[in-house]
Amino acid sequence: MNSITTSAGLKNAILQLEEQQSKELVLLKEEFNRTREGLKPINIIKSSFKELVDTPDLKTDVINAAIGLTTGILAKKIMVGKTINPFKKLLGIVVEMVVGNTVAKNTDEIKAAGSAIFKTLFSKKEEKTTS
């Protein structure tokens, strides 16, 4: 910084510093308001939920879990049905958990196998109709 040798220079430097201080005060207040808004519980929840939803792996995981859960419930209904026997109910719960977890962990392989079966079934029908 330049050395100040006159009273006019000193007054000018003081005015510049006061102006700089007022600009920085405005910026500080704006930053404070942004920070205060960001720290409100509802805004924290919103931003966390938005990050969660925007994660592509999460969407896939939720879909896979839903498919596994549905498949497990269907397997339980098919194997056990409506029964009052506690042993069969316990067996049904075990079947539901095992099938659900297996399907949820292997959805890509199951989708690929289902797609291959689907293509095989419909390609044979198309060949028969064209012959």
Side-chain angles (χ1 to χ4, degrees), residues 108-122:
D108 292 333
E109 292 85 3
I110 293 170
K111 287 177 188 176
S115 178
I117 292 169
F118 187 76
K119 287 179 183 178
T120 304
L121 290 175
F122 284 107

Side-chain angles (χ1 to χ4, degrees), residues 98-111:
V98 169
V99 170
N101 286 333
T102 304
V103 170
K105 290 178 183 176
N106 300 309
T107 52
D108 292 333
E109 292 85 3
I110 293 170
K111 287 177 188 176

Side-chain angles (χ1 to χ4, degrees), residues 39-93:
L39 291 177
K40 286 184 178 178
I42 189 72
N43 291 334
I44 292 172
I45 292 169
K46 282 181 184 177
S47 64
S48 298
F49 187 71
K50 187 175 186 304
E51 288 175 14
L52 212 77
V53 170
D54 288 342
T55 306
D57 293 339
L58 177 72
K59 292 176 187 175
T60 304
D61 292 344
V62 168
I63 291 170
N64 291 347
I67 291 170
L69 181 65
T70 304
T71 307
I73 292 170
L74 288 174
K76 176 184 171 187
K77 291 289 183 187
I78 290 170
M79 289 193 64
V80 178
K82 294 182 180 181
T83 184
I84 56 172
N85 186 343
F87 179 72
K88 283 187 177 181
K89 284 185 177 183
L90 182 64
L91 179 65
I93 292 171

Side-chain angles (χ1 to χ4, degrees), residues 9-20:
L10 180 61
K11 288 180 184 179
N12 189 24
I14 290 172
L15 286 174
Q16 287 178 353
L17 288 173
E18 286 175 347
E19 187 178 309
Q20 179 182 353

Side-chain angles (χ1 to χ4, degrees), residues 16-32 34:
Q16 287 178 353
L17 288 173
E18 286 175 347
E19 187 178 309
Q20 179 182 353
Q21 182 184 19
S22 66
K23 287 179 183 177
E24 288 177 353
L25 181 63
V26 168
L27 292 174
L28 183 62
K29 286 180 181 180
E30 289 174 358
E31 185 64 29
F32 174 75
R34 277 195 298 270

